Amino acid sequence: MNVDNLKKILALKNTPKIGDVKAKKIIEADHWSEVDLDHLKVNEILEKELELINKNKVSVVTLLDEDYPKLLKEIYDPPLLLYYYGDIKTYFPIGVV
C-alpha cells in the first residue's frame, strides 16, 4: 500500500464537488492543484483509514497504484479504492468479468 497515493485518493473523495469521474480526470491530467492535500480533515481521515485497514487486516490498492487491475482502470467510472484480502493478482489475474 502506498500511503501517499491513499492520501491523494482520500483527499479527492473528500473534496466537495469531486466525484469518481472527475477524480479520474484529475488523476489522468495530473491536476493536483485542484485538491488540498494538506487540509487537516484529509490528514485526520487518512489516520482513521489507516487504523481501520490495520485493525481489519485488509489491503488497499488505489487507482494510482501499479497493482490496480488494468482493465478495471479503463472503465468509465472505476472505483478509486479497492479493499481486499490476500493477493490482488489472485482476484484479477487476467481481467475483470
Side-chain angles (χ1 to χ4, degrees):
M1 170 180 45
N2 183 316
V3 176
D4 290 333
N5 286 347
L6 181 59
K7 182 178 180 178
K8 287 179 180 179
I9 294 298
L10 291 173
L12 282 171
K13 290 181 74 62
N14 289 282
T15 300
K17 299 182 182 178
I18 295 182
D20 287 355
V21 173
K22 186 170 182 182
K24 185 179 180 194
K25 289 177 183 176
I26 289 171
I27 291 167
E28 289 173 347
D30 203 23
H31 285 178
W32 291 102
S33 60
E34 295 182 41
V35 183
D36 184 1
L37 296 174
D38 294 319
H39 190 277
L40 182 61
K41 182 179 178 185
V42 172
N43 290 319
E44 290 174 9
I45 292 168
L46 176 63
E47 290 302 318
K48 288 180 185 176
E49 190 73 19
L50 290 172
E51 284 177 28
L52 287 171
I53 289 167
N54 290 328
K55 178 182 175 185
N56 294 301
K57 298 179 181 159
V58 297
S59 298
V60 178
V61 65
T62 73
L63 189 60
L64 299 168
D65 295 328
E66 283 184 26
D67 289 344
Y68 193 93
K70 291 182 186 352
L71 290 176
L72 189 58
K73 205 179 255 192
E74 293 178 16
I75 67 173
Y76 177 71
D77 190 8
L80 298 178
L81 294 168
L82 295 174
Y83 297 90
Y84 63 94
Y85 290 101
D87 181 10
I88 195 156
K89 290 176 177 45
T90 302
Y91 297 111
F92 298 102
I94 297 171
V96 179
V97 179

